[in-house]
């Protein structure tokens, strides 16, 4: 359980750390390597505007460094992570949602 006095960024980081820790203990080598690769792309969470289909925008939290094509963001209204593609208009949600590591590993 997460402590009550954590900031939003600290809560998001704690969720990611728990996912990575669990993956690194797995017997699945691919999962462990994915977790290690994801850890290399992590950045402190920062608030950004994400574009959704239909012209909707939402404030989300970027949690990974973009590779020029994709980045992982946390969607606080939904309570889970999303894989976004970089566009001329900023990050665009592409409908890949769930755990942070799952979103990252889907690329």
């Amino acid at each position: 359980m997460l402590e009550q006095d954590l900031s939003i960024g600290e809560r998001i980081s704690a969720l990611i750390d728990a996912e990575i820790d669990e993956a690194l203990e797995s017997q699945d080598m691919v999962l462990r390597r994915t977790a290690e690769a994801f850890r290399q792309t992590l950045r402190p969470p920062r608030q950004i505007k994400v574009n959704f289909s239909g012209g909707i925008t939402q404030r989300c939290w970027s949690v990974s460094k973009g590779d020029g094509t994709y980045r992982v963001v946390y969607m606080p209204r939904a309570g889970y992570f999303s894989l976004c593609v970089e566009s001329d208009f900023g990050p665009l949600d592409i409908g890949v949602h769930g755990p942070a590591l799952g979103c990252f590993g889907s690329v």
Side-chain angles (χ1 to χ4, degrees):
M1 178 176 235
L2 298 177
E3 295 187 32
Q4 295 291 349
D5 59 347
L6 295 178
S7 70
I8 294 171
E10 291 169 332
R11 286 175 179 266
I12 295 167
S13 292
L15 290 170
I16 293 169
D17 290 344
E19 276 190 53
I20 290 174
D21 290 346
E22 183 178 337
L24 291 175
E25 292 178 10
S26 171
Q27 297 299 315
D28 183 338
M29 185 180 297
V30 173
L31 181 59
R32 288 195 315 265
R33 287 185 178 171
T34 301
E36 290 167 2
F38 183 48
R39 186 169 31 194
Q40 298 299 314
T41 71
L42 291 177
R43 52 161 303 138
R46 71 177 173 93
Q47 199 170 45
I48 61 167
K49 181 177 78 170
V50 173
N51 299 292
F52 293 83
S53 62
I56 298 169
T57 63
Q58 188 179 122
R59 290 282 171 195
C60 297
W61 293 79
S62 178
V63 300
S64 70
K65 298 172 194 155
D67 66 358
T69 306
Y70 299 101
R71 79 165 85 174
V72 177
V73 302
Y74 180 73
M75 301 189 315
R77 288 186 180 170
Y80 48 74
F81 294 87
S82 171
L83 184 65
C84 290
V85 65
E86 302 292 345
S87 76
D88 291 342
F89 306 103
L92 174 64
D93 176 82
I94 58 172
V96 177
H97 302 140
L101 197 54
C103 290
F104 176 79
S106 68
V107 177

